[in-house]
Amino acid sequence: MCVGDRHLENVLVSARGEACGADCGALRRGGELPPARLTRALLALAPDPESRLQNTIQLLRESKLVLPSISVAFKWMGGMYMDELRYVTGLIKGTSISHAVTIEVISKSTQPYREKYVQLLEDVFRDFDAKELYSVEEQVSSLLLQCTDPRILSVTRASWEPWI
């Protein structure tokens, strides 16, 4: 859920024509507004992304091994990733939601225009109420809106190029 940039070196397309992200640097949250950029071209390769994401998140929530495995991996990778573990854990458990994580990370950054980015996200997600626990459907709805909303996609960094 933390995929930032998409280019030919980090998008895999299967023999069946399905696309998935592949990027070891994706675990670092660098203050990008969308966790992924789902353009029409990418969505054409991903049939029914909503139900597929819901199934995946539900499986992650039900798994007894995912969070311990992620914790070990993050500890092995070192200190710069340990701050990210809290965000990933919250997303998997349902105690956090994608756009709220992005708002928090950008608010703490020194990124130029961070106040404007936070305001944009708050405007886009004004109908999402803060909760202690989010349903899988709410999490997927937030994630897909964050990845496809034209207002958010329009302010991505200029160096990003849509290869697909």
Side-chain angles (χ1 to χ4, degrees):
M1 285 189 226
C2 298
V3 179
D5 63 320
R6 298 294 88 203
H7 50 75
L8 289 177
E9 286 82 27
N10 63 15
V11 174
L12 296 177
V13 179
S14 74
R16 297 186 323 220
E18 298 171 329
C20 72
D23 187 356
C24 292
L27 297 172
R28 293 186 301 273
R29 300 266 323 155
E32 293 283 345
L33 289 180
R37 292 162 185 90
L38 295 180
T39 62
R40 281 182 268 174
L42 285 173
L43 287 171
L45 295 171
D48 195 16
E50 190 167 11
S51 67
R52 292 177 73 182
L53 283 169
Q54 288 174 355
N55 290 337
T56 300
I57 292 173
Q58 189 63 46
L59 290 171
L60 288 172
R61 282 192 184 185
E62 293 171 358
S63 171
K64 303 285 188 236
L65 298 175
V66 170
L67 283 175
S69 299
I70 290 172
S71 295
V72 168
F74 276 52
K75 288 176 184 171
W76 178 79
M77 289 187 292
M80 68 185 256
Y81 289 94
M82 289 310 295
D83 290 338
E84 311 300 323
L85 182 58
R86 179 174 60 89
Y87 298 125
V88 173
T89 300
L91 290 168
I92 290 173
K93 288 182 174 182
T95 58
S96 190
I97 197 162
S98 176
H99 68 272
V101 170
T102 305
I103 288 171
E104 183 178 337
V105 170
I106 289 175
S107 295
K108 292 179 180 178
S109 77
T110 58
Q111 181 174 333
Y113 308 110
R114 70 181 173 274
E115 296 88 4
K116 290 183 179 186
Y117 293 149
V118 167
Q119 184 61 53
L120 171 63
L121 289 167
E122 288 173 347
D123 289 347
V124 170
F125 292 98
R126 69 179 166 270
D127 294 333
F128 280 78
D129 295 327
K131 296 180 166 185
E132 288 185 30
L133 185 65
Y134 295 94
S135 71
V136 169
E137 293 79 13
E138 289 169 324
Q139 283 187 301
V140 170
S141 177
S142 166
L143 179 63
L144 287 176
L145 180 58
Q146 191 175 356
C147 296
T148 59
D149 186 274
R151 295 169 289 178
I152 294 172
L153 294 178
S154 70
V155 294
T156 57
R157 59 191 164 85
S159 61
W160 178 77
E161 297 179 20
W163 292 96
I164 293 181

